[in-house]
Structures are given as C-alpha cells and as structure tokens.
C-alpha cells in the first residue's frame, strides 16, 4: 500500500457526512480528496465547505486514481452495492452501518474483498472511542474477575416523535434492533466474545404510527417490523447477555451497558458516544469512577484504525467480519421473535484486541 496519508473518498454527502468530514480533516493519517453523491450539487456544496478538491457523482470517488479507501455513507439499501463497486475498483471500504440488509449479499461482499486482498471496515466506530475502550481494557485486565453477564438497554418512544420522515425506521431493515443494535451488540461482542445463539421475544405496540413533526406532521404510516425485542444472547466463551431494544417505551432510557464479573460490575459509557463515564461497583458500592473525554475522537476513527491496521498487516478492529457477525445476530433476533425458538449464530469474527492506552487519531502514526 501507499504511505500515509492515505487518500480517502466519501460516497454520500447527506447529514452524517458533515460529522465524518469535520473529524477526518483533523486526522493526519488520512486525506479526503473526493466526494461523490447522486445529488452532485450536494456533493459540490460539501466539498466546497470542507476544502475537498474533487466532487461529482459516485464515480468521481470510485474512479479516482488517488483514492485508496472509500467511505460509504449512502442509504442502507445501497451499502452493499456501493461497497462492492469500490472493492471492484481496487479500493478498501469503510461502510456506515449496517454492512448490508441481508446475510447473503453482505457475505458475498466480504468474500470478494478478501479474494482481491482488500479490507472492509464498518461502523460503529464509537466502540473504538476512549470511553468504551477504557471499559474493555479494564474487563480484559480482570478488574471485575471472570466475566458472567452483559446488560444492554436502548428504549424510547420511537423516532416518529422527532424525525420528519420516520417511515424507514419502522419498515424492513429498520426497527430498534437494526437501527440501534449495532452499537450495543458490537460492544457486547467486543467485551464477551462471539455470540453462538439468541432467543428473543417481541412485538409492536401499534400497527400504524403518525408523523409528529415537520411538513408531513399528522400523516399515518404502517409499522411492519417488531418495535420491541427482549433478547438473551449466549457467548462462545461462557457468559450470557441480556439486551432490550424498544421504540415503544414511554420512558426514554438509552446508553445502558453493564458487565458483571465474579467480583464486581463495570458500567460502561453509552456505546453510541465516543467518551463517557466508566464506573466500577463492588459489593453494592461505587469503587471507582472515571470520566473519559472523547479526546478529539469522532466518526472516522474507524478509518484511522483501518489505515494503521493495513500498514501493520492486521485486520481492522471494526472489521467487516465483526459487522457481519453483528448483522447475523440481528437477523437471528428477528427470526427468533418470528419462530419462538432459539436461533444459532454460526459466524465467528476475528478477535479484536482493545486499543492501546493513549491511542489517538490526532497524532500521525510514525
């Protein structure tokens, strides 16, 4: 591969691109050189705002000779198509979550990338932030003894309360499990290891919802996916975890992520944030509490870990294989809700070691 900085191109100039462009500009290991979108005017506007030299349609990125890594920020339905096109153009890919919307196409993408000697990475990279990484290092160091269980809770009344076009959250490929599950399930897998089976129950509070805000407020739309899921996960290494995902809850409670060991409990930060509080409880008493700032990390640190891992000949920590395993878990949850039976999870991601203490995207890798 080429030396740092690595040339990066973004496909998709929507809302999330602002966060990526803001942070990637501060990371010296990468340089954003092209921005593409089906709406070329939007791509041009973002390129101008962030000083990106080239813009146009998706091909302005996919065909650019100096782009070594494509950041795929398209809508979920286009993720596999754009990622596959990038791989066929000889480029590594970082994809927003989810990796794909079915197992077969996501698996085919990873297999094709591997056959071409290319890496795929996938969001969320919040799990690489200093908050969760501090908790993961404590768990790995045996701070609370032998790991027994994990607990994850993400519940709220639903995005129809605040999103002007919320329909996609409540149709195939949406729901609280596919929308928010990646943050919590990725964290559970990083802490407790791969999942081997899930059993889940769930349903939905109502079959029709009403848009609450924006120009279409008052319009009704159908709900076609479970909007509450109660999940029990078995991990290969022995522990189990409990997860609750809901868009039906009258009480908003998000960011609950706890790990119980034989000698205590670690309360990790919200896995949808880069920093946060890590607290250790022993015998019902708070034993330790550390506030971890985000330390300049933000969306795009997964890209930095990816280019550093490539340089070191190692798979990225937020790898496509890890994202595929999480996708496999999420589909298994839906299948278990449907069938009422446990569902085996057969995919096994590579083990991702925690980042070393003090890892920073802001200082160029020597």
């Amino acid at each position: 591969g080429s030396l740092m900085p690595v040339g990066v191109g973004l496909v998709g100039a929507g809302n999330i691109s602002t966060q990526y462009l803001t942070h990637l500009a501060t990371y010296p290991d990468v340089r954003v050189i092209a921005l593409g979108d089906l709406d070329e005017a939007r791509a041009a506007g973002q390129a101008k705002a962030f000083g990106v030299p080239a813009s146009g349609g998706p091909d302005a990125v996919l065909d650019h000779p100096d782009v070594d890594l494509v950041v795929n920020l398209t809508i979920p339905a286009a993720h596999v198509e754009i990622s596959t096109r990038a791989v066929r153009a000889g480029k590594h890919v970082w994809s927003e979550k989810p990796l794909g919307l079915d197992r077969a196409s996501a698996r085919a993408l990873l297999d094709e990338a591997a056959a071409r000697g290319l890496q795929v990475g996938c969001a969320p990279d919040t799990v690489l932030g200093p908050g969760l990484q501090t908790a993961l290092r404590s768990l790995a160091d045996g701070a609370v003894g032998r790991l027994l269980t994990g607990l994850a809770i993400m519940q709220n009344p639903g995005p129809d309360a605040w999103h002007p076009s919320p329909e996609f959250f409540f149709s195939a490929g949406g729901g609280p499990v596919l929308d928010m599950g990646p943050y919590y399930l990725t964290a559970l897998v990083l802490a407790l290891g791969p999942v081997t089976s899930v059993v889940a129950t769930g349903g939905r509070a109502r079959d029709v919802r009403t848009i609450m805000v924006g120009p279409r407020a008052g319009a009704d739309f159908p709900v076609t996916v479970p909007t509450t899921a109660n999940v029990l996960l078995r991990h290969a290494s022995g522990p189990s975890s409990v997860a609750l995902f809901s868009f039906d809850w009258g009480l908003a409670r998000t960011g609950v992520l706890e790990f119980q060991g034989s000698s205590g409990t670690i309360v990790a930060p919200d896995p949808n944030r880069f920093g946060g509080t890590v607290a250790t409880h022993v015998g019902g008493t708070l034993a330790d509490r550390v506030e971890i700032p985000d330390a300049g990390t933000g969306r795009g640190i997964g890209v930095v870990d990816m280019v550093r891992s490539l340089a070191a000949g190692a798979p990225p920590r937020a790898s496509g294989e890890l994202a595929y395993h999480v996708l496999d878990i999420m589909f298994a949850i839906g299948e278990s809700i449907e069938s009422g039976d446990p569902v085996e999870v057969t995919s096994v991601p590579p083990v991702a070691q925690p980042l070393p203490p003090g890892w920073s995207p802001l200082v160029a890798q020597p």
Side-chain angles (χ1 to χ4, degrees):
S2 58
L3 300 169
M4 308 286 184
V6 170
V8 170
L10 273 63
V11 179
N15 287 339
I16 196 75
S17 69
T18 297
Q19 282 188 49
Y20 272 90
L21 289 162
T22 300
H23 289 290
L24 289 171
T26 67
Y27 303 156
D29 291 358
V30 297
R31 192 163 53 94
V32 179
I33 54 182
L35 187 51
D37 195 287
L38 289 173
D39 181 342
E40 296 191 18
R42 188 160 68 172
Q46 283 290 74
K48 187 164 185 278
F50 288 94
V52 177
S55 77
D59 288 340
V61 172
L62 299 173
D63 296 340
H64 197 300
D66 299 330
V67 168
D68 295 314
L69 188 151
V70 171
V71 175
N72 181 356
L73 306 181
T74 58
I75 59 169
H79 282 177
V80 166
E81 182 210 339
I82 292 292
S83 294
T84 302
R85 283 173 61 188
V87 163
R88 287 179 183 162
K91 303 180 190 311
H92 304 287
V93 182
W94 171 268
S95 176
E96 248 309 319
K97 54 134 193 110
L99 183 63
L101 292 182
D102 64 84
R103 290 185 184 91
S105 65
R107 184 70 260 159
L109 162 65
L110 297 181
D111 290 347
E112 180 160 351
R116 292 173 183 264
L118 296 165
Q119 287 284 3
V120 176
C122 188
D125 58 2
T126 48
V127 297
L128 301 179
L132 188 67
Q133 288 293 317
T134 298
L136 292 174
R137 284 192 293 267
S138 292
L139 293 169
D141 291 345
V144 292
R146 183 172 57 87
L147 290 177
L148 300 171
T149 54
L151 172 66
I153 301 174
M154 194 303 302
Q155 55 200 31
N156 61 47
D160 46 331
W162 55 267
H163 200 289
S165 298
E167 292 94 329
F168 72 97
F169 285 109
F170 296 93
S171 57
V177 173
L178 266 115
D179 180 47
M180 294 301 292
Y183 302 101
Y184 296 81
L185 295 168
T186 305
L188 290 172
V189 169
L190 288 173
L192 302 173
V195 167
T196 54
S197 74
V198 309
V199 61
T201 59
R204 51 179 178 259
R206 30 194 206 287
D207 295 329
V208 175
R209 293 208 179 209
T210 305
I211 300 174
M212 310 295 272
V213 298
R216 296 161 56 228
D220 289 344
F221 64 91
V223 179
T224 60
V225 292
T227 45
T228 291
N230 293 310
V231 189
L232 179 62
L233 307 125
R234 289 180 183 273
H235 297 263
S237 56
S240 60
S241 50
V242 170
L244 168 57
F245 303 109
S246 181
F247 284 163
D248 297 323
W249 227 260
L251 166 72
R253 179 166 50 201
T254 59
V256 176
L257 181 64
E258 298 176 2
F259 299 100
Q260 180 206 337
S262 53
S263 62
T265 302
I266 285 182
V267 180
D270 184 336
N272 193 15
R273 301 278 177 269
F274 289 88
T277 305
V278 178
T280 308
H281 296 259
V282 177
T285 310
L286 179 65
D288 185 50
R289 181 187 163 94
V290 196
E291 291 288 340
I292 317 275
D294 63 28
T297 59
R299 288 186 208 281
I301 58 170
V303 175
V304 176
D305 174 69
M306 207 173 159
V307 300
R308 291 179 182 178
S309 297
L310 284 165
R317 284 174 173 84
S319 65
E321 294 292 342
L322 175 59
Y324 179 83
H325 180 62
V326 170
L327 201 63
D328 201 6
I329 295 167
M330 294 191 296
F331 289 134
I333 289 169
E335 289 154 8
S336 182
I337 289 173
E338 191 100 348
S339 69
D341 297 317
V343 176
E344 277 193 34
V345 176
T346 53
S347 56
V348 183
V351 174
Q353 299 297 338
L355 288 163
W359 183 92
S360 173
L362 301 173
V363 183
Q365 187 88 333

